[in-house]
Amino acid sequence: MKSKVLKRIPLERLMDLKIEYAFKQLFGNEKNKDITVVFLNAILQKTGRNRIIDISFENTEAGGEDPDDKRSKLDLLVTTDTGKVINVEIQFTNRHNMIKRSMYYWAGTYHRSFKKRMTYKELHPVIAINILNFNILNGTDRFHTTYHLYEDEENFQLTDDMEFHFIEMPKLIKDWKANKLDPWNNVLARWLLMLGIIDRKNDKVYADKKLRKAG
């Protein structure tokens, strides 16, 4: 029944939450702060971070070779339940060169957190979350991968100030269609499927684990 109802709704009437305006209205809006907190905690639970309890929305605009970059980023200053302050930046984009782009933004955010009369010890950790509408990492089939700085031989962590997340939406959809993903028992999967169920760029709607060409 749900599938039939969905098919009767024209694609132009369905909101693709991956587009800049919709994404920022949902996750970058002060009135939706509680939603953003839950979404971030679903992503960061994988790395064992303390739970986020509060968020402030930053207005800083990082420069880059593309003037549209600043519009695809969401900059947040979050506080955990232990009182730790962390900068979080989220990108939702179709652009490529994302590994270097993410490192560039990470460095800029880390640098900007250093204020006058601060010591280096007071620099905030920066977590970069890249939600991609394309696949970029050929070495894994997992849709969510995380990266830190570790010693090469003994594999101990140098610092938790640097953390990168790459979420590849096509891999998520592939797992969902192949029944390898149970969104009812995976809170992050539920959030990501909400973002990925409508793909306006490719004129597609995903419903009942079947790919349907809209229209």
Side-chain angles (χ1 to χ4, degrees):
M1 177 63 71
K2 291 181 180 180
S3 178
K4 292 180 180 179
V5 171
L6 181 60
K7 290 179 180 180
R8 289 199 299 267
I9 301 175
L11 180 63
E12 60 269 17
R13 292 181 57 191
L14 298 174
M15 177 66 74
D16 185 348
L17 294 176
K18 297 185 296 300
I19 64 175
E20 171 206 332
Y21 173 80
F23 185 77
K24 287 195 172 183
Q25 283 296 307
L26 180 61
F27 294 113
N29 195 315
E30 182 73 29
K31 68 181 182 182
N32 292 332
K33 180 186 291 189
D34 291 345
I35 292 176
T36 309
V37 167
V38 174
F39 179 60
L40 288 179
N41 280 326
I43 294 175
L44 300 182
Q45 65 181 349
K46 182 175 181 179
T47 56
R49 289 278 182 181
N50 293 106
R51 290 189 64 78
I52 294 169
I53 59 173
D54 196 20
I55 293 176
S56 63
F57 296 91
E58 300 287 277
N59 293 317
T60 54
E61 294 184 347
E65 76 283 2
D66 187 339
D68 288 335
D69 282 354
K70 61 177 178 276
R71 294 200 293 268
S72 69
K73 286 174 72 268
L74 187 61
D75 294 306
L76 310 169
L77 193 66
V78 307
T79 304
T80 70
D81 54 8
T82 61
K84 190 168 188 176
V85 177
I86 302 173
N87 286 98
V88 176
E89 57 184 37
I90 304 176
Q91 273 208 105
F92 208 137
T93 180
N94 291 310
R95 297 180 178 87
H96 294 278
N97 300 314
M98 279 307 304
I99 295 174
K100 288 186 178 293
R101 189 186 299 268
S102 185
M103 291 173 63
Y104 176 82
Y105 288 146
W106 180 94
T109 302
Y110 196 63
H111 179 266
R112 287 197 307 273
S113 72
F114 191 81
K115 308 299 182 184
K116 190 175 182 180
R117 296 190 176 89
M118 279 180 61
T119 65
Y120 289 112
K121 183 180 180 181
E122 297 174 277
L123 279 166
H124 301 318
V126 177
I127 300 173
I129 299 172
N130 302 281
I131 306 176
L132 309 178
N133 205 31
F134 59 93
N135 291 335
I136 191 175
L137 302 165
N138 297 323
T140 179
D141 292 328
R142 290 183 295 125
F143 65 85
H144 182 196
T145 53
T146 60
Y147 304 86
H148 301 82
L149 282 177
Y150 289 93
E151 202 280 330
D152 286 344
E153 294 187 21
E154 298 183 54
N155 203 38
F156 61 85
Q157 192 175 47
L158 177 65
T159 176
D160 70 349
D161 276 13
M162 177 181 283
E163 181 171 316
F164 293 89
H165 292 248
F166 285 88
I167 296 173
E168 299 167 276
M169 298 299 288
K171 292 179 180 178
L172 170 84
I173 296 297
K174 182 179 178 181
D175 282 354
W176 182 53
K177 289 172 59 184
N179 293 316
K180 295 180 180 179
L181 191 63
D182 180 7
W184 299 111
N185 293 309
N186 186 326
V187 63
L188 178 57
R190 289 201 298 274
W191 278 105
L192 295 177
L193 284 171
M194 181 184 72
L195 295 175
I197 202 74
I198 306 299
D199 189 350
R200 187 176 295 278
K201 179 177 182 293
N202 295 310
D203 194 31
K204 291 174 181 175
V205 176
Y206 299 87
D208 291 345
K209 296 184 171 54
K210 293 181 180 179
L211 179 62
R212 179 184 72 86
K213 188 74 175 178

